Amino acid sequence: MQDITPLKRNFINCSLLGTHEGGGAVILLFHYLSLLNIFDAFITYFGLENSFIQEMNPLMSRIYGTDPLLFIFTKLAFSLCIYLFIVFKKVPTSSLIRGLTVFATSFYTIVFFLHCYWLIVLI
């Protein structure tokens, strides 16, 4: 079996993830955050529409209060913006962005599963 040199491995990783060395993890987190946001949009919408949950984010609560479809549109637009960074290969890879992205995905994962748990318990 042929051994893959570090240079070839880095090229393969760049080709698959569309980034330079070190940015792959951030891109994966961007994908995850965007998809999580899309799923959360519909789960939250369902919970809000059926008065199972309340939106605790004041900005999103106000948007939902204005128009529930605007709420969905806003969440989808946020996911699209994240994906545009990926598509145009402009995902920032600084340690600050990595840290913020890890924090955001961790926090958002907890919120998402909390919403899911509440809906399961209440339904």
Side-chain angles (χ1 to χ4, degrees):
M1 182 166 216
Q2 185 181 15
D3 185 34
I4 299 177
T5 65
L7 182 59
K8 286 182 183 176
R9 188 178 313 116
N10 186 40
F11 176 75
I12 291 168
N13 288 340
C14 289
S15 298
L16 294 174
L17 299 173
T19 186
H20 348 292
E21 184 178 346
V26 178
I27 286 180
L28 290 176
L29 288 173
F30 269 43
H31 279 292
Y32 174 75
L33 189 59
S34 182
L35 289 173
L36 185 63
N37 187 57
I38 291 168
F39 287 126
D40 184 59
F42 291 103
I43 288 173
T44 303
Y45 174 80
F46 176 79
L48 291 170
E49 280 295 299
N50 293 289
S51 300
F52 293 139
I53 60 174
Q54 291 181 336
E55 178 60 63
M56 298 305 292
N57 177 333
L59 176 61
M60 293 309 292
S61 179
R62 177 160 240 170
I63 291 172
Y64 179 82
T66 301
D67 185 352
L69 290 179
L70 182 60
F71 174 85
I72 293 288
F73 176 80
T74 302
K75 300 279 270 181
L76 294 177
F78 178 67
S79 289
L80 176 63
C81 287
I82 293 173
Y83 268 116
L84 288 175
F85 278 103
I86 297 168
V87 168
F88 290 109
K89 298 180 181 173
K90 298 292 184 184
V91 176
T93 58
S94 71
S95 58
L96 174 65
I97 295 300
R98 270 196 306 269
L100 288 172
T101 304
V102 167
F103 174 77
T105 54
S106 300
F107 183 74
Y108 204 16
T109 298
I110 292 168
V111 169
F112 175 75
F113 283 111
L114 188 60
H115 285 177
C116 290
Y117 172 75
W118 286 339
L119 291 176
I120 289 168
V121 168
L122 291 171
I123 294 178

